[in-house]
Amino acid sequence: MVEDLTGKLTALAWALFLLSWSIGWTLRGSPIPSSKVKRVGNSLIEDSMWAALWLALGTTVFAVIVKLAGIVSEVLIGGG
């Protein structure tokens, strides 16, 4: 159950990353002459890249914790 929920939340987070990253590039490359729009696009790109880094690190750490919890649970319950 925990792994399934984690997988769904991770997929949702990566989808939000891709959405914000693509919106950022769309705004940055838009033909709108306003520099404010391009700055917002740059900001979205930078923020989404930081989010991807932390999402990757957090997902890895959480996967290791879930795996270790499964091993400990198996040893305690199975080896009892």
Side-chain angles (χ1 to χ4, degrees):
M1 179 179 129
V2 173
E3 289 181 50
D4 184 47
L5 180 62
T6 303
K8 288 179 182 179
L9 287 175
T10 302
L12 177 65
W14 280 111
L16 287 173
F17 154 72
L18 288 173
L19 178 66
S20 66
W21 184 74
S22 61
I23 289 172
W25 275 106
T26 301
L27 291 175
R28 184 175 180 218
S30 68
I32 300 171
S34 172
S35 63
K36 187 174 184 178
V37 172
K38 295 184 187 301
R39 278 193 305 249
V40 168
N42 269 346
S43 178
L44 276 174
I45 293 168
E46 183 179 342
D47 290 346
S48 65
M49 296 313 288
W50 278 109
L53 170 73
W54 289 111
L55 182 61
L57 290 173
T59 302
T60 303
V61 168
F62 195 73
V64 169
I65 291 170
V66 167
K67 193 67 159 176
L68 289 175
I71 291 170
V72 168
S73 173
E74 185 177 310
V75 167
L76 292 177
I77 294 172

